């Protein structure tokens, strides 16, 4: 998927601003998906205690192997 010039410039701007201290929640772009934040908001799942515990258990199982 090609990134248009306007999105590429916005990604670079948000990366610089975040490096300078801007909170990640204030980005207009999504660093993970390299897209506009509004276009991929539904792709992000909120972190929950249950999800974090499941992730920790999966990591522990992988370490034991």
């Amino acid at each position: 998927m090609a990134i248009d010039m306007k999105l590429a410039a916005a990604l670079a701007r948000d990366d610089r601003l975040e490096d300078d201290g801007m909170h990640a929640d204030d980005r207009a772009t999504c660093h993970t998906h390299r897209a506009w934040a509004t276009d991929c908001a539904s792709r992000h799942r909120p972190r929950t205690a249950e999800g974090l515990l499941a992730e920790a258990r999966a990591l522990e199982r992988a370490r034991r192997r």
Side-chain angles (χ1 to χ4, degrees), residues 9 11-22 27:
L11 284 161
R13 184 196 70 236
D14 282 354
D15 289 345
R16 279 193 313 276
L17 289 171
E18 194 172 353
D19 288 344
D20 289 341
M22 178 182 78
R27 292 182 67 104

